[in-house]
Amino acid sequence: MSSLLEQLIDALRCLPGVGQKSAQRMAYHLLERNREGGQRLSDALKEAIERIGHCGQCRDFSETPLCPTCASASRERSLLCAVESPADRLVIEQATGYRGLYFVLQGRLSPLDGIGPRELGLDQLAARLAEGEAKELIIATNPTVEGEATAHYLAQLARQAGVRPSRLAHGVPLGGELEYVDRGTLAHAFGSRLEVES
Ligand code: ZN
């Protein structure tokens, strides 16, 4: 049985980019200098892991069955924007003044990694499009190879449901990630989106 210190170091290594050395530094820092911070981290982590689930409608992270955005009466329900991640949703929300609703894929099509339409909740998205409330599906996947393949699939899904698919205009660099594009560029690309050609 390993010591508590070893268990802590091992647990910290679940964080992205944290190897053995960094995990040791973090563990010693918390124990030597910031036990209060460590307690706060531990409490927040426990609460978040236990209580944050996914919104039943948009699949974003949510503490409630329906997230505040989906539940809001002031959002434009004819617009639906599909994004790869909660971080992308956040950056669009902050940079563009978009007032429609979202659908968070929580990934992108990647057959080699076993991520297909089902993993991205696309049956759920298809059902939602079929309801007829959304008139435009704004496809805001990243301009990477997999993001483009996902966008193509989403555009087909939208057309099948009689919903107009659109894509962010130029400005988002090819191979780039939305999360790291500057806000002005993203706002412009979002504002001047184009209908996807079939
Ligand atoms: Zn939601």
Side-chain angles (χ1 to χ4, degrees):
M1 185 64 191
S2 53
S3 71
L4 286 175
L5 180 59
E6 284 164 345
Q7 286 178 44
L8 173 59
I9 292 167
D10 195 48
L12 286 166
R13 292 188 59 183
C14 79
L15 293 166
V18 175
Q20 181 69 16
K21 277 258 165 60
S22 314
Q24 279 171 8
R25 242 187 342 260
M26 288 175 183
Y28 285 130
H29 173 83
L30 291 175
L31 292 170
E32 285 169 6
R33 300 173 204 279
N34 200 351
R35 289 193 178 221
E36 199 184 312
Q39 185 63 58
R40 235 180 13 253
L41 173 64
S42 152
D43 293 346
L45 204 52
K46 187 169 189 302
E47 284 277 295
I49 297 292
E50 281 175 6
R51 296 185 38 206
I52 298 178
H54 292 281
C55 170
Q57 196 167 307
C58 72
R59 290 170 44 102
D60 196 2
F61 292 124
S62 177
E63 294 172 34
T64 44
L66 206 57
C67 76
T69 304
C70 288
S72 166
S74 67
R75 305 293 299 209
E76 179 61 62
R77 307 195 91 80
S78 63
L79 294 175
L80 191 58
C81 177
V83 293
E84 289 181 19
S85 69
D88 290 345
R89 192 209 82 102
L90 191 65
V91 75
I92 286 174
E93 187 72 6
Q94 290 173 343
T96 68
Y98 173 67
R99 296 298 297 158
L101 296 173
Y102 295 93
F103 189 83
V104 183
L105 301 166
Q106 303 280 2
R108 55 186 104 174
L109 289 177
S110 181
L112 292 179
D113 301 314
I115 300 175
R118 185 214 295 253
E119 283 68 31
L120 302 183
L122 296 190
D123 42 352
Q124 191 185 337
L125 177 61
R128 178 123 172 242
L129 292 171
E131 284 169 14
E133 200 171 41
K135 302 296 176 216
E136 178 181 353
L137 178 68
I138 303 162
I139 302 168
T141 53
N142 289 305
T144 56
V145 173
E146 288 171 344
E148 290 297 339
T150 308
H152 185 73
Y153 194 99
L154 293 179
Q156 282 181 325
L157 216 58
R159 274 190 216 101
Q160 281 164 13
V163 173
R164 188 171 73 252
S166 66
R167 190 92 174 92
L168 301 202
H170 50 80
V172 178
L174 219 62
E177 305 264 330
L178 287 192
E179 211 183 320
Y180 304 111
V181 173
D182 75 88
R183 288 180 178 204
T185 304
L186 180 59
H188 180 75
F190 200 91
S192 52
R193 57 189 184 266
L194 306 164
E195 182 157 354
V196 180
E197 310 283 338
S198 45

